[in-house]
Amino acid sequence: MNSSVLLHLIVMLAQLWPCSASMQNSSAQNTAQSFTPVRRVKRGWLWEPLFATEEQISPDPVYIGQLKSDLDKEDGNLEYILSGEGAGSFFYIDKYTGKIYVKQKLDREKKPFYILTAKAINRSTQLPVEPDSEFIIKVRDINDNEPQFLDGPYVATVPEMSPEGTSVTQVTATDADDPSYGNSARLLYSLVEGQPYFSVEPTTGVIRMASQMDRETKDQYLVIIQAKDMVGQPGAFSATATVTINLSDINDNPPEFPQRLYYMSVSEEAPVGTTVGKVFAEDRDIGDNAAMDYFIDTDSSDVFNIITNDETQEGIILLKKRVDYESKSRYSIQVKAVNRYIDERFLKEGPFEDTTIVKINVEDADEPPLFTLENYVMEIREGAMRGTLVGAVTARDPDDDESPVRYSIVHSSHLKRLFSINEHNGAIITTEPLDREIASWHNITVTATETRNPEKISEANVYVQVLDVNDNAPEFPKNYETFVCENAVSGQLIQNISAVDKDDSAEGHHFYFSLAQEDSNSSHFTVKDNQDNTAGIFTGKSGFSRQEQFFFYLPILIQDNGTPPLTSTNTLTVTLCDCDTEVNTFYCRYGAFMYSLGLSTEALVAVLACILIFLVFFLAIVAIRQQQQKKPPFSEKMEDFRENIVSYDDEGGGEEDTEAFDISALRTRTVMRTHKPRKKVTSEIQSLYRQSLQVGPDSAIFREFISEKLKEANSDPSVPPYDSLQTYAFEGTGSLAGSLSSLGSNTSDMDQSYDYLADWGPHFKQLAGMYSSHRTVGD
């Protein structure tokens, strides 16, 4: 890459050189035009390309070249000056001769070239004699860097059995030396370790397969690649890289059974789906290449089945059908294992499958008895006598010892009452006659139990069909309601009738209708058989009279076509109705109802009128009593009600007593007084109350306040009287004035001094005067 950059730079300089020359010529022409009278002598720098070799170590500066002006006469009048990159540090110039020296060791890998500027001045005038000129000192490369594998270590994967020459991967080493100068950066690759399986291209580093390799033999290889610079010449530097090459798997191996014969066993009692055993075929491949499916040879596929466990790659043999030791005690099946995914490239090497033989022994077990049939169907005619044989079931012990079998019926108690079974031979008989019309089928469950091992039980279903016998005569399907008008004419159809039969007829029912021969009403009505299991009732004469006969009872004979035929007599009631020819069903029913009560219409109206009168009389009495009960709620002793005095033995609680006598005790529930509006004297009473506090009890204002309160209480009947006297025997606590009661006191009034009452204020002035006078009188 460095050589290409340098080549590109040289091409650009070559392209720019004519432009630079033309610009210099143009500049010269302009100068000549501006200073036409002055004639300038052509001058220039004289030097060759400058190179400095890197990594040179010398106690003295190393000469690398010389700068010189064509005006230099070597008389010491010119002075050379060097400036730019590395001037003074790496490079210095002899100012008299223009020789350039290297003072320090250079490293091309750090800086490949240096750009400097040269000046030439006159020592006397200190004026430049040459224009400033830039030049380049290139650092010449030496082989001082080793190759490096920057991307190592390497890991690559290649399919196994790949053909020779298959590319595996490519390794690349880099060298910091100059690739455009010498062979220092020219690398050569070689294989240090990995023969004879792999090879490497010397110039590109591409690793290729040198032979076909089998992953099942070895799945990983370690290859060491060496890179040398100087094209491998003596004294070259080298570096190595490790490449781990893994062989990926392909399906190049068929499955193989490690055993050619497997032995398994299964009990004859095992249910369907039981695991009989497992087989396993090994495959040296891995992943999907080792996936396989198992199959069973078609000869035994109806008894056994095999499935594949995808996780363990095992073949699981399952019981597909129950086996019987007595029928077949050994099976031999062929199991095949086939790869699921096959690589067509290796089909020529043979089928990717393997087979093995599995021998399965059936283990004998104590089996329950076995019925000859799973379901039995039996028939018996209805009405058969008790003890009639219905049929027989048969079961046997399939084991070699052939244990005796005991039979029983296990079903509802109802069936046990109808049937019984002989526990030795399985014969089923009836215990009472059966009626098909009650139940035409009976489902019985019969069990067979081994006598030597009662735990071994098997069941069978017995379906008993009760065959029909013509034991039920036909009859009306419903009670017919037949009416005929008094003015009916002869031959008029008054009713259509039909019949039903509980028995079953294989050919279909056919009924015959007729009037009984002994019918006394045969002259009044006739029966016509319609030959379709229906018949019509017709009048036999014109005109009927309810006074003569209200109801007619016709005995109708109905005969079926059974064997033997049965006949029944069904009575049809015909009711006369007060009508012309068309029957009004509602009116006729009403007339029949009245006739059954023995009342005429007039009698019924009279009865209803009496009931209505009695009802009106009863309501009047109730209304009068309710009016009488509405009297004033207060008795004549209303006036005495307010005079009640209630006496209590408790003393008032003082200022803190909030639980005094409940005044609601004076209320009575039996006396209700008419409420009268109270006089609104609240503001007046409050004003009187405030004035009464300022005067004594003898004041007119105080008496007026008491009178107003009493009048207010007397005028309000909804509250108890306020003038009730209450006596309290409990004294309150917390009063600032202390106790005023003498109850419970051990001292008498004579022993106490009441002078302190005068100090309590004007409210207690009257009280203080009363006790002072009392004490004076006592004294």
Side-chain angles (χ1 to χ4, degrees):
M1 181 180 290
N2 293 334
S3 61
S4 62
V5 173
L6 183 59
L7 180 60
H8 185 64
L9 181 60
I10 294 173
V11 172
M12 290 180 63
L13 291 174
Q15 292 176 352
L16 292 175
W17 177 256
C19 296
S20 176
S22 62
M23 291 178 64
Q24 291 177 2
N25 294 335
S26 174
S27 176
Q29 292 176 5
N30 294 335
T31 305
Q33 292 176 3
S34 301
F35 303 96
T36 304
V38 180
R39 295 195 52 94
R40 184 183 179 192
V41 181
K42 183 179 179 182
R43 296 170 296 175
W45 288 96
L46 299 175
W47 67 66
E48 295 178 357
L50 301 178
F51 295 94
T53 303
E54 68 173 337
E55 304 296 339
Q56 283 186 339
I57 303 176
S58 175
D60 299 325
V62 179
Y63 170 77
I64 61 173
Q66 182 180 10
L67 297 178
K68 188 177 182 180
S69 174
D70 58 358
L71 298 180
D72 190 359
K73 303 301 181 180
E74 297 182 359
D75 54 3
N77 290 330
L78 295 183
E79 180 181 350
Y80 295 96
I81 300 173
L82 188 66
S83 64
E85 295 177 343
S89 58
F90 291 99
F91 309 99
Y92 85 94
I93 190 170
D94 188 340
K95 60 182 178 179
Y96 299 105
T97 64
K99 293 181 179 181
I100 300 175
Y101 298 89
V102 178
K103 300 191 321 181
Q104 296 183 18
K105 181 177 67 174
L106 301 177
D107 189 353
R108 191 202 67 83
E109 285 69 39
K110 292 183 179 180
K111 192 169 182 61
F113 59 88
Y114 294 85
I115 300 175
L116 297 98
T117 302
K119 293 182 180 181
I121 62 175
N122 190 304
R123 282 179 174 274
S124 301
T125 64
Q126 294 296 314
L127 294 176
V129 297
E130 292 286 354
D132 294 350
S133 180
E134 286 185 354
F135 64 95
I136 296 175
I137 299 177
K138 294 183 179 180
V139 181
R140 184 169 293 167
D141 183 47
I142 65 172
N143 188 20
D144 61 342
N145 290 281
E146 298 178 354
Q148 290 183 352
F149 289 95
L150 301 179
D151 298 329
Y154 297 88
V155 178
T157 302
V158 63
E160 64 172 330
M161 305 303 293
S162 295
E164 183 178 348
T166 301
S167 175
V168 179
T169 187
Q170 183 179 14
V171 295
T172 302
T174 59
D175 196 317
D177 293 327
D178 188 359
S180 63
Y181 180 77
N183 295 324
S184 299
R186 295 182 62 186
L187 304 179
L188 189 67
Y189 298 94
S190 61
L191 195 65
V192 177
E193 184 178 337
Q195 300 91 348
Y197 308 108
F198 302 95
S199 63
V200 62
E201 293 183 357
T203 58
T204 61
V206 175
I207 301 175
R208 298 185 181 274
M209 300 283 290
S211 63
Q212 286 188 335
M213 289 171 286
D214 190 3
R215 188 201 63 84
E216 287 71 34
T217 303
K218 186 177 181 180
D219 61 351
Q220 190 178 79
Y221 292 85
L222 198 64
V223 177
I224 298 177
I225 303 296
Q226 184 185 61
K228 270 188 175 184
D229 57 12
M230 299 292 293
V231 201
Q233 296 176 4
F237 292 107
S238 65
T240 58
T242 301
V243 183
T244 302
I245 300 177
N246 299 312
L247 297 182
S248 61
D249 184 57
I250 62 173
N251 191 8
D252 59 340
N253 294 280
E256 294 180 0
F257 284 101
Q259 297 177 232
R260 290 301 170 187
L261 186 61
Y262 290 84
Y263 291 96
M264 301 178 184
S265 62
V266 62
S267 173
E268 63 176 341
E269 289 184 328
V272 174
T274 301
T275 299
V276 180
K278 299 178 181 180
V279 296
F280 177 69
E282 297 177 348
D283 195 320
R284 298 174 64 190
D285 297 322
I286 59 175
D288 290 341
N289 295 321
M292 65 188 74
D293 294 313
Y294 294 89
F295 301 94
I296 292 180
D297 190 15
T298 56
D299 295 339
S300 303
S301 61
D302 58 338
V303 180
F304 300 97
N305 186 25
I306 190 168
I307 60 175
T308 304
N309 188 332
D310 292 331
E311 295 182 359
T312 62
Q313 293 298 313
E314 293 178 320
I316 304 173
I317 300 176
L318 304 176
L319 191 62
K320 187 177 181 181
K321 181 181 178 181
R322 295 197 63 171
V323 293
D324 185 12
Y325 174 82
E326 288 71 25
S327 300
K328 190 173 182 179
S329 61
R330 179 174 295 179
Y331 292 87
S332 179
I333 62 176
Q334 185 176 358
V335 177
K336 181 188 296 183
V338 182
N339 269 139
R340 191 175 299 171
Y341 309 104
I342 299 177
D343 194 336
E344 297 180 356
R345 295 177 298 174
F346 301 96
L347 285 176
K348 59 183 179 180
E349 298 183 6
F352 283 78
E353 61 183 41
D354 195 19
T355 58
T356 187
I357 302 298
V358 179
K359 293 186 178 296
I360 302 175
N361 294 324
V362 180
E363 298 177 348
D364 188 22
D366 189 5
E367 299 178 272
L370 182 66
F371 281 95
T372 56
L373 297 174
E374 293 183 1
N375 299 305
Y376 293 85
V377 180
M378 303 177 182
E379 296 178 348
I380 185 173
R381 298 180 67 85
E382 69 172 325
M385 297 177 56
R386 180 178 180 274
T388 301
L389 177 65
V390 180
V393 296
T394 303
R396 67 175 185 84
D397 185 7
D399 300 322
D400 293 337
D401 57 357
E402 294 186 355
S403 172
V405 176
R406 184 177 64 252
Y407 302 94
S408 63
I409 294 177
V410 287
H411 216 287
S412 62
S413 59
H414 169 68
L415 293 177
K416 284 187 177 181
R417 182 171 55 84
L418 295 178
F419 302 94
S420 65
I421 189 171
N422 189 307
E423 64 177 5
H424 300 293
N425 58 19
I428 301 174
I429 61 175
T430 60
T431 56
E432 63 180 42
L434 303 178
D435 189 354
R436 190 201 68 84
E437 284 70 38
I438 297 177
S440 60
W441 285 89
H442 297 278
N443 300 334
I444 306 173
T445 301
V446 177
T447 62
T449 307
E450 289 186 11
T451 56
R452 298 174 185 172
N453 187 1
E455 295 181 356
K456 300 299 179 180
I457 302 174
S458 60
E459 295 182 351
N461 296 320
V462 179
Y463 303 100
V464 179
Q465 181 182 14
V466 182
L467 301 179
D468 185 44
V469 174
N470 191 21
D471 57 347
N472 291 279
E475 58 186 1
F476 284 150
K478 63 179 180 178
N479 292 324
Y480 289 102
E481 195 175 26
T482 307
F483 300 97
V484 62
C485 293
E486 287 184 299
N487 297 330
V489 296
S490 178
Q492 181 178 344
L493 176 65
I494 61 173
Q495 184 68 56
N496 283 316
I497 59 175
S498 61
V500 292
D501 194 334
K502 295 180 180 179
D503 293 325
D504 189 16
S505 176
E507 301 177 355
H509 289 291
H510 188 75
F511 304 116
Y512 304 95
F513 300 88
S514 62
L515 275 176
Q517 297 295 331
E518 68 277 5
D519 181 24
S520 59
N521 297 317
S522 59
S523 60
H524 298 83
F525 301 96
T526 59
V527 176
K528 181 181 179 182
D529 194 336
N530 297 328
Q531 300 299 319
D532 60 353
N533 293 338
T534 64
I537 308 299
F538 295 86
T539 57
K541 69 172 187 174
S542 298
F544 294 89
S545 176
R546 290 195 301 169
Q547 283 74 19
E548 296 178 1
Q549 188 173 355
F550 199 90
F551 298 103
F552 294 91
Y553 302 97
L554 304 182
I556 307 298
L557 296 179
I558 307 176
Q559 181 180 340
D560 61 16
N561 61 337
T563 304
L566 295 181
T567 304
S568 66
T569 301
N570 298 264
T571 301
L572 179 67
T573 302
V574 181
T575 304
L576 283 180
C577 184
D578 185 12
C579 57
D580 292 334
T581 56
E582 297 295 331
V583 175
N584 188 323
T585 304
F586 176 78
Y587 181 74
C588 293
R589 288 176 180 172
Y590 169 74
F593 173 73
M594 296 302 298
Y595 183 81
S596 62
L597 295 178
L599 297 176
S600 62
T601 304
E602 293 79 3
L604 180 62
V605 172
V607 171
L608 293 177
C610 293
I611 294 175
L612 181 60
I613 293 172
F614 177 76
L615 182 61
V616 172
F617 181 73
F618 176 76
L619 293 176
I621 293 176
V622 172
I624 292 173
R625 287 189 175 183
Q626 289 181 350
Q627 291 294 333
Q628 290 178 352
Q629 290 178 357
K630 293 181 179 180
K631 292 183 177 182
F634 299 104
S635 63
E636 295 179 354
K637 296 183 179 181
M638 176 66 72
E639 300 298 332
D640 297 335
F641 181 78
R642 300 180 180 273
E643 304 299 328
N644 293 333
I645 298 178
V646 182
S647 177
Y648 298 90
D649 294 334
D650 296 334
E651 182 178 358
E655 295 179 2
E656 291 187 354
D657 184 15
T658 59
E659 299 179 356
F661 171 72
D662 187 5
I663 202 67
S664 63
L666 297 178
R667 299 181 184 271
T668 177
R669 297 182 180 179
T670 59
V671 179
M672 298 296 295
R673 294 185 293 180
T674 304
H675 176 72
K676 297 181 181 179
R678 297 180 60 179
K679 182 180 179 182
K680 296 183 179 180
V681 294
T682 305
S683 58
E684 298 177 6
I685 292 175
Q686 292 178 351
S687 176
L688 293 173
Y689 175 73
R690 289 192 296 268
Q691 297 178 18
S692 64
L693 295 177
Q694 301 175 0
V695 297
D698 296 334
S699 172
I701 297 176
F702 191 89
R703 288 194 298 270
E704 184 180 357
F705 170 76
I706 295 299
S707 299
E708 290 294 336
K709 294 292 291 183
L710 181 59
K711 186 184 298 183
E712 180 184 0
N714 291 334
S715 63
D716 188 1
S718 62
V719 296
Y722 287 160
D723 56 348
S724 60
L725 178 63
Q726 300 179 12
T727 303
Y728 297 90
F730 174 77
E731 180 179 359
T733 60
S735 176
L736 296 177
S739 175
L740 301 179
S741 173
S742 61
L743 296 178
S745 177
N746 294 327
T747 60
S748 63
D749 294 342
M750 302 298 296
D751 298 331
Q752 297 185 14
S753 175
Y754 300 98
D755 295 338
Y756 58 86
L757 294 177
D759 300 331
W760 285 3
H763 293 290
F764 296 92
K765 181 178 180 180
Q766 185 71 18
L767 186 62
M770 293 171 59
Y771 273 87
S772 297
S773 60
H774 175 73
R775 182 177 180 85
T776 303
V777 173
D779 293 338

